[in-house]
Amino acid sequence: MKYTLTTAIMLVLAIAATAQVNIHIDLKQEKTFDSIYVKGAAKLQSKQKLSAAYAPSVTLQDKESLKPGMYEILGDSTLLGVILIPNEKNQKFSLKIDGEKVTFQNSKENTAYYNYIDDLSNYNKKLDSLNALFADAQKSMPQYMMKVFVDSLSASARRINDDMRAFQRRTAAAYPNTLVGSVIATSTYLPDPPQEIVGNRRLFQKYYIEHFFDNFAWNDPRIFNTPIVEQKIAEYCNMIYQLDNPDYDTLVVASLNQAKVNQTSYEYLFDALEYVLGRIISPYKVEHTYIAMLKDAVTYPKLDENRQRRYTRELGFINKNLIGDTIPNFTMVMANGDTTSMYDIQSEYTILYLQHPTCPTCHQVRNRMKDFAKLNQAIESGRLKVVMVYFEDDPQVWSNYVNSREANPKYLHGWNFDQSIADNDLFDTRTIPYMFLLDKDKKVVKKDLLVNEIEPWIEYLRIY
């Protein structure tokens, strides 16, 4: 992780005896700002910050100490520098920034961090030079010579990467039980996978998922107050979402097990993964992975009671109506007044749309669906039916809906008047609308069908 400092600035940070935090900043530059901030670099820290009106010499102070972690020094929204706050008590140090040169007094950890950043940049420069050589070769080198040249560049890149990782490990080991050591360890790049699996996509992916958190400083809660963690977890979630492979769920659970060095680390990782992969409204939800996570969590003995209850309830909902399951039957009164059941509706494929007629999102989705050419074609072919179901207890809402333009005449509209859906928790209706794609036997083909997935599924199944 590298912060580039391009303006010539001098910042002097000092601590006063009357305040836990007292940051004095001298700026020597032509550009001025409205305000100067010291702000938590991680999203979870965003509320913890100090600010003052701009002046060539300004002091930021507070009686409460800053929470240990990484902080940004900002001029308005311009990043001027970063600092590490290793502990609650000793927040006394000076920082001078002149262009890209950064020096500290009375802060071994910040000095070590900036020395690390400078040294790391040298390895990156070497890799950049190899990329430049490759770009030049593509322009001028005959094709028959390229393979040998690329092999040579690749071997050089591997050596540089190996040297860089060794440097990171040495530096982290030189600062045990420190925030800077945890930051460097967590930032350390993974070793390249064995050459024999590079050509095997499945094994290649498995390697990175399996080893992604190997260098993570789970035993140091201060690491969660740095942006490094957010960046790594975002990358990890993106990888899991893109792969969407149940075979890798055990590897995700293994990552959670790595975090069980303490309860704080486990809960932090679980919450971060849940936010992306498990949240019911997340567009990046991977249900089978979330189920594996929940099953692991409810067996974790250190989990508090509130989490235990919530995860158990989540499991109860999410385990309903899985792909391949036959949905439960329920009765409905239809728009024409007839009473029928879901099982009585015969079709090669069915979209079951659980909704509330006055729900704004339901309205938006219905409006989008009416203009879907492939959906309309599939309905006209007789191979697909769309069944809109209202499942709450308000006859007036139902009556207003079926007698309005909202009730698309191409669809079937039903009201679960006896509330069996809600009373018996037949489906996960914590969010609406909620759609299923069903086959002729009312087995789930796609659970939680999103509106932008309707036409791709129709195309995939050739329902027209």
Side-chain angles (χ1 to χ4, degrees), residues 337-357:
D338 291 344
T339 299
T340 187
S341 74
M342 189 63 197
Y343 284 9
D344 290 333
I345 297 172
Q346 300 299 312
S347 180
E348 186 177 352
Y349 290 98
T350 304
I351 290 177
L352 172 59
Y353 184 106
L354 301 170
Q355 63 150 353
H356 191 294

Side-chain angles (χ1 to χ4, degrees), residues 24-279:
H24 179 73
I25 306 174
D26 287 333
L27 297 97
K28 295 183 178 180
Q29 59 167 14
E30 294 182 2
K31 184 176 181 180
T32 60
F33 306 97
D34 292 329
S35 300
I36 301 297
Y37 296 87
V38 169
K39 173 180 170 293
K43 290 178 183 176
L44 294 178
Q45 289 177 301
S46 59
K47 292 183 180 179
Q48 188 170 357
K49 63 184 180 182
L50 306 173
S51 64
Y54 170 81
S57 180
V58 64
T59 299
L60 305 176
Q61 59 183 358
D62 199 286
K63 292 181 179 180
E64 294 185 7
S65 60
L66 292 172
K67 187 176 181 179
M70 183 179 286
Y71 289 78
E72 298 172 339
I73 299 174
L74 302 167
D76 296 337
S77 59
T78 301
L79 179 66
L80 306 177
V82 295
I83 55 175
L84 299 179
I85 302 292
N87 54 58
E88 295 278 357
K89 296 180 180 179
N90 185 17
Q91 299 181 0
K92 302 178 182 180
F93 54 87
S94 301
L95 169 67
K96 295 181 180 180
I97 304 176
D98 186 356
E100 293 190 0
K101 185 178 181 182
V102 183
T103 56
F104 288 83
Q105 292 180 356
N106 302 321
S107 180
K108 293 181 179 179
E109 292 203 35
N110 276 293
T111 298
Y113 178 67
Y114 273 89
N115 288 341
Y116 162 76
I117 293 296
D118 288 342
D119 290 341
L120 192 67
S121 69
N122 293 328
Y123 292 99
N124 289 320
K125 287 175 184 176
K126 292 177 183 179
L127 292 172
D128 289 342
S129 67
L130 294 183
N131 288 328
L133 288 173
F134 176 68
D136 289 340
Q138 283 185 307
K139 297 175 184 177
S140 58
M141 186 173 288
Q143 193 62 35
Y144 70 89
M145 298 176 62
M146 280 294 290
K147 185 180 185 309
V148 175
F149 184 70
V150 168
D151 287 345
S152 175
L153 289 182
S154 297
S156 297
R158 284 194 295 272
R159 285 193 296 271
I160 294 170
N161 277 313
D162 287 344
D163 290 344
M164 179 167 57
R165 284 186 286 266
F167 155 72
Q168 290 178 299
R169 289 193 296 269
R170 286 195 309 272
T171 308
Y175 296 93
N177 304 316
T178 64
L179 177 57
V180 67
S182 296
V183 166
I184 295 170
T186 302
S187 304
T188 299
Y189 302 114
L190 284 177
D192 294 331
Q195 281 297 111
E196 60 267 22
I197 73 169
V198 170
N200 186 314
R201 182 172 177 268
R202 183 180 178 279
L203 293 178
F204 190 79
Q205 293 167 340
K206 180 181 178 182
Y207 171 85
Y208 277 103
I209 297 173
E210 189 173 13
H211 296 283
F212 194 86
F213 292 110
D214 281 1
N215 300 317
F216 204 96
W218 291 118
N219 59 345
D220 188 349
R222 295 173 296 181
I223 197 68
F224 302 129
N225 298 321
T226 72
I228 299 166
V229 179
E230 294 161 5
Q231 294 162 6
K232 286 186 74 71
I233 290 178
E235 183 182 347
Y236 185 77
C237 287
N238 182 63
M239 185 164 51
I240 299 299
Y241 171 74
Q242 293 293 334
L243 296 176
D244 193 5
N245 188 334
D247 291 344
Y248 300 140
D249 290 346
T250 55
L251 301 181
V252 176
V253 171
S255 295
L256 284 168
N257 287 332
Q258 286 181 289
K260 287 179 180 176
V261 294
N262 59 63
Q263 184 179 353
T264 300
S265 295
Y266 182 85
E267 291 178 356
Y268 183 98
L269 180 60
F270 190 97
D271 290 348
L273 297 182
E274 181 185 42
Y275 187 83
V276 179
L277 302 175
R279 212 167 34 123

Side-chain angles (χ1 to χ4, degrees), residues 347-349 373-385 458 462-464:
S347 180
E348 186 177 352
Y349 290 98
K374 288 187 177 66
L375 174 61
N376 290 325
Q377 185 180 350
I379 293 170
E380 290 166 8
S381 74
R383 298 182 61 198
L384 174 72
K385 289 181 180 178
I458 289 173
R462 299 184 179 276
I463 312 173
Y464 33 66

Side-chain angles (χ1 to χ4, degrees), residues 356-372:
H356 191 294
T358 63
C359 154
T361 304
C362 300
H363 170 76
Q364 293 169 7
V365 171
R366 289 194 303 264
N367 275 349
R368 289 183 62 186
M369 287 173 63
K370 71 181 181 181
D371 296 323
F372 286 175

